[in-house]
Amino acid sequence: MTVKVFATDMDGSFLNSQNDYDRERFKRVFNTIQASGARFVAISGNQYYQIRSFFKDYEKEMTIVGDNGAYIVENGRFLTSFTIAKPVIKEAITFIEREIPQARILLCGEKSAYLKSSMPQDDKDYFGLYYHRLTEVDTFDTLPDDNFLKCSINIPPEKTSAISHYFNQAFPGQMTATSAEDGNIDLIATGVHKGAALSLLLERWGLTSQELATFGDGGNDLEMLELANYSYAMANGSEKVKEVAQYQAPSNDQSGVLATIEELLKAK
């Protein structure tokens, strides 16, 4: 069985420490993927518009999945999204503001992401790295006119695990906390994750997980690593990711995703 879908996380996996990648090498690899009839998927917890900015020459020939599987665009065309009911969003924000007052809240919609104008500039700068469409609002008491994919919160890093558990206890079956790194938590609809998005795509394309290769480094990559027959933890990834993945790829600063895809394509 050969690999027909290559799906990679972005930060800490495909992107290096300078938030970039080897453009010339990718061009060669992508052309080979296309020639072989396989597919390339960029899948991240980040906003679709931010992910797309890295692939301006390729966006109409690949699939981009944003917001941890909640927003899917195939070959430049919107395919589907998985939104959270506004009453649940309102309840979640009220809960966070009451129970986790130190959290900085980003509300992620299909049109834009939203943050309070009163948010400290450091947090605004952090979110600005991952969300290219950002809108400031005075309050979340009245929700913006949008469909919402998730909430993202910044918290003290040492509290990531405890607050994730706390939130999951408070919203069972509605929203689930997932974290790619300490200090940031995404609150997404239960059942929505990178693995679910890839399962949908595989079914759409008439393929199976036996033909899927995935690359990840953090906690929000676990489901897609568990799904794939060829699952790769980045050398710089967390220990949990390395326990789940079948194989290990070189680090993101060694172009580990591209190097591994090259080897898999040679094997074909």
Side-chain angles (χ1 to χ4, degrees):
M1 187 76 70
T2 58
V3 178
K4 295 184 179 178
V5 179
F6 300 93
T8 179
D9 169 55
M10 293 294 288
D11 298 298
S13 298
F14 185 75
L15 298 177
N16 58 32
S17 299
Q18 287 71 50
N19 203 40
D20 204 352
Y21 61 95
D22 187 332
R23 305 274 175 155
E24 285 301 315
R25 189 174 187 178
F26 176 73
K27 182 178 181 179
R28 294 193 300 271
V29 170
F30 187 80
N31 287 340
T32 305
I33 290 172
Q34 292 289 92
S36 73
R39 298 173 186 266
F40 181 81
V41 181
I43 184 166
S44 172
N46 299 343
Q47 186 184 53
Y48 160 72
Y49 305 103
Q50 188 260 11
I51 306 168
R52 186 181 69 179
S53 71
F54 288 102
F55 300 103
K56 292 179 180 178
D57 295 331
Y58 310 97
E59 60 178 285
K60 294 184 179 180
E61 301 174 279
M62 60 182 287
T63 298
I64 299 175
V65 182
D67 290 298
N68 278 323
Y71 195 86
I72 306 175
V73 175
E74 179 188 42
N75 298 336
R77 296 182 180 181
F78 171 75
L79 182 61
T80 191
S81 64
F82 300 93
T83 59
I84 303 169
K86 290 184 178 180
V88 177
I89 287 287
K90 288 278 289 185
E91 186 180 355
I93 291 175
T94 299
F95 175 83
I96 294 165
E97 292 180 334
R98 183 184 69 242
E99 302 292 337
I100 318 170
Q102 68 269 45
R104 313 300 188 190
I105 303 174
L106 184 78
L107 181 56
C108 307
E110 292 183 338
K111 300 176 186 176
S112 179
Y114 305 87
L115 49 76
K116 285 186 178 181
S117 54
S118 59
M119 180 183 287
Q121 190 61 47
D122 285 351
D123 290 287
K124 290 181 181 180
D125 292 342
Y126 170 84
F127 283 125
L129 293 173
Y130 308 110
Y131 299 85
H132 282 193
R133 290 192 182 180
L134 270 178
T135 304
E136 294 191 15
V137 296
D138 292 330
T139 178
F140 287 132
D141 291 345
T142 300
L143 294 177
D145 180 21
D146 206 340
N147 299 313
F148 300 106
L149 306 167
K150 70 178 185 182
C151 288
S152 185
I153 59 175
N154 276 0
I155 54 171
E158 68 276 8
K159 296 186 177 182
T160 304
S161 179
I163 288 178
S164 293
H165 178 74
Y166 187 49
F167 191 91
N168 288 336
Q169 294 283 73
F171 289 84
Q174 291 182 301
M175 298 179 75
T176 299
T178 183
S179 178
E181 59 178 316
D182 287 345
N184 179 260
I185 297 173
D186 280 346
L187 311 172
I188 58 179
T190 298
V192 176
H193 47 71
K194 294 180 182 181
L198 287 173
S199 291
L200 180 153
L201 288 168
L202 289 173
E203 182 176 359
R204 174 177 172 80
W205 296 331
L207 301 173
T208 74
S209 59
Q210 298 293 309
E211 299 164 294
L212 172 67
T214 55
F215 302 84
D217 73 306
N220 63 349
D221 299 318
L222 295 176
E223 289 89 354
M224 74 170 183
L225 292 171
E226 290 171 341
L227 173 69
N229 188 52
Y230 302 89
S231 57
Y232 292 85
M234 308 308 295
N236 53 286
S238 71
E239 288 306 311
K240 179 62 176 176
V241 166
K242 292 175 181 177
E243 290 173 7
V244 168
Q246 296 293 318
Y247 310 101
Q248 186 167 309
S251 78
N252 63 322
D253 284 329
Q254 296 175 298
S255 295
V257 172
L258 293 179
T260 304
I261 292 177
E262 285 171 342
E263 291 302 315
L264 290 169
L265 288 170
K266 287 178 183 176
K268 289 180 66 173

